[in-house]
Amino acid sequence: MKKKPIILGIESSCDETAASIITENEQGKPIILSNIISSQVDVHKEFGGVVPELAARSHIEKIDLITKKAIDDSGIKMNDIDAIAATAGPGLIVCLSVGLSFGKTIASLLNKPFIAVNHLEGHALSPKLNSKLDYPYLLLLISGGHTQFLSVQGLGEYKRLGTTIDDAVGEAFDKTAKLLGIEFPGGPQIEIYAKKGDPYKYELPKPIFHKGGCNLSFAGLKTAVLKISKQIKTKQEKYDLAASFQRTIEEILLKKSKIAFKEFEKINNNNKNKFIVAGGVAANKKIRKILENLCEKENFEAIFPPVDLCGDNAAMIAMVGLEKFKLKQFSELDHPAKPRWPLDKDAIFLKGAGVRL
Ligand code: KG4
Ligand code: ZN
């Protein structure tokens, strides 16, 4: 019986230091042997956001311990590892460099292949850790740094259908939380506040709702939340604003997903299309629910990673490593850290003032 590949994944692109060991069973189903995540929330709390230098220092302090724990917990020996996959971008360069150098060092010490992984591809493949998923599929990536609709044609083959032209949706959640006085990282708290509020109390703008195809915009929303938050006096009004914000995001994602479905169908000819929602914001239960309902109506199958694999983790990085390992897509040891690394390299840059849709 042929030995199944064992992959070590390493992630350090932002404020999570993570390591994971995965393999697969006889049927080719991925198995997570360990998945260790150390969050830096306490390091950044007093600054209200991620401070790159502090994040990098914390990665340096923890990366070896986290990786050792991932190996110990998995029950394998260091020498059993067949390849090392580490995030090489996009992200904060000082943070990326830590995990990347560490991964390369282990690869050269063990004399095993090194695989540089695009963090966004990690999110894109994260549902494969618990669902059988063949290409092509439609992906909505909603995280703290990215908001994109992508047609995933194959490993490393992406066609961007739409993107945010300003803030990422997770960023909008975090900024709204900050304006409501919720401690960093506030995004997940908005969901909890929203449950206690009236979603129709405040009318917030939905930029480019009626134009721009499935491109999205959230910056105007933040300005509106800022104005209202200055007039708010009671806790109930905070809940109402959170609920109104959550509803507005749902309406934007619903409308834009419908458009993305049509665009996806134009370039793919499947019997049953699959819609994958991944990234930190995909942990939002209400967003999952409304997109699931939309899929039922539109004959798409909705697939989400488990909630604990929506945020940044190293199992998803190892997942990309596993697929690349099987195709012998290895990287050189001088592979650079890339702060910007779009999945669709042909997509035009659509951000900032003067963007035309
Ligand atoms: O994918 P992720 O862990 O990191 C990036 O690659 O950006 O996503 C983090 C983002 C943060 O903006 C966080 O506020 C948001 O995901 N997030 C949520 C929820 N859980 C995490 N946003 C809304 N509702 C949630 N339940
Ligand atoms: Zn991420």
Side-chain angles (χ1 to χ4, degrees):
M1 196 167 41
K2 200 166 164 267
K3 176 185 178 295
K4 288 294 178 184
I6 295 178
I7 311 292
L8 165 64
I10 295 173
E11 158 65 32
S12 72
S13 64
C14 190
D15 59 344
E16 254 96 33
T17 318
S20 168
I21 302 279
I22 74 164
T23 185
E24 62 179 17
N25 69 10
E26 284 309 310
Q27 290 72 44
K29 185 180 175 299
I31 301 167
I32 300 175
L33 297 177
S34 65
N35 186 27
I36 311 297
I37 305 173
S38 168
S39 167
Q40 302 175 358
V41 167
D42 291 340
V43 177
H44 304 292
K45 212 174 223 170
E46 64 176 293
F47 304 98
V50 178
V51 184
E53 301 300 329
L54 294 182
R57 192 194 294 178
S58 181
H59 286 309
I60 291 167
E61 282 167 5
K62 293 205 185 122
I63 192 93
D64 48 354
L65 297 173
I66 296 295
T67 306
K68 182 173 182 318
K69 183 155 174 49
I71 294 169
D72 290 348
D73 283 11
S74 71
I76 60 137
K77 301 258 176 323
M78 188 100 169
N79 272 321
D80 298 332
I81 296 171
D82 293 299
I84 294 86
T87 303
L92 300 166
I93 190 138
V94 283
C95 295
L96 289 166
S97 305
V98 178
L100 189 61
S101 308
F102 190 71
K104 288 173 178 176
T105 307
I106 299 182
S108 61
L109 281 174
L110 294 178
N111 201 20
K112 294 286 164 68
F114 173 71
I115 300 168
V117 175
N118 183 317
H119 176 87
L120 304 178
E121 185 151 48
H123 282 300
L125 267 57
S126 60
K128 290 195 170 212
L129 288 160
N130 74 325
S131 306
K132 181 161 166 34
L133 188 57
D134 296 323
Y135 301 111
Y137 54 83
L138 175 64
L139 169 71
L140 169 59
L141 176 62
I142 37 178
S143 72
H146 298 269
T147 302
Q148 295 180 4
F149 288 102
L150 293 144
S151 179
V152 185
Q153 308 299 126
L155 183 67
E157 282 178 57
Y158 296 85
K159 191 169 170 20
R160 194 189 72 197
L161 307 177
T163 181
T164 176
I165 58 166
D166 39 57
D167 292 351
V169 66
E171 206 177 338
F173 266 95
D174 294 336
K175 285 178 178 168
T176 297
K178 207 169 175 179
L179 291 170
L180 291 180
I182 301 171
E183 245 185 16
F184 169 84
Q189 286 295 320
I190 292 286
E191 187 180 7
I192 297 163
Y193 270 46
K195 279 191 197 139
K196 302 179 198 163
D198 170 6
Y200 293 95
K201 173 80 182 275
Y202 301 105
E203 206 47 55
L204 299 169
K206 288 179 270 189
I208 65 164
F209 196 66
H210 297 293
K211 63 173 186 175
C214 60
N215 289 303
L216 313 103
S217 165
F218 299 99
L221 203 56
K222 176 185 62 194
T223 318
V225 170
L226 171 67
K227 262 194 197 153
I228 299 170
S229 67
K230 283 185 179 156
Q231 293 146 22
I232 272 180
K233 295 198 177 56
T234 66
K235 191 94 185 176
Q236 187 56 49
E237 284 173 323
K238 281 191 181 183
Y239 295 149
D240 293 341
L241 184 51
S244 303
F245 171 82
Q246 165 92 31
R247 169 186 58 92
T248 308
I249 295 287
E250 287 166 15
E251 288 173 2
I252 294 172
L253 293 180
L254 197 68
K255 166 94 186 257
K256 295 294 181 175
S257 297
K258 251 190 224 176
I259 300 171
F261 285 7
K262 298 278 164 299
E263 307 233 334
F264 179 79
E265 280 169 333
K266 268 190 230 161
I267 52 174
N268 294 288
N269 207 349
N270 301 331
N271 272 342
K272 176 98 178 175
N273 290 311
K274 292 186 174 174
F275 182 45
I276 313 308
V277 188
V281 184
N284 188 294
K285 294 202 182 60
K286 193 73 193 311
I287 291 176
R288 288 168 95 102
K289 187 82 216 135
I290 57 132
L291 293 176
E292 222 163 64
N293 291 346
L294 174 72
C295 282
E296 266 172 37
K297 277 194 216 129
E298 304 275 332
N299 195 32
F300 266 71
E301 184 185 346
I303 299 177
F304 302 90
V307 170
D308 60 335
L309 292 177
C310 285
D312 290 346
N313 65 83
M316 69 183 194
I317 304 303
M319 183 64 233
V320 178
L322 180 62
E323 290 220 346
K324 289 195 166 200
F325 179 82
K326 291 198 270 186
L327 297 171
K328 294 197 167 48
Q329 290 184 8
F330 306 139
S331 312
E332 298 298 331
L333 283 178
D334 63 355
H335 192 288
K338 296 181 178 191
R340 189 172 174 273
W341 188 2
L343 283 175
D344 177 356
K345 59 181 185 334
D346 298 326
I348 49 167
F349 190 64
L350 264 191
K351 261 193 177 177
V355 165
R356 277 163 199 259
L357 296 168

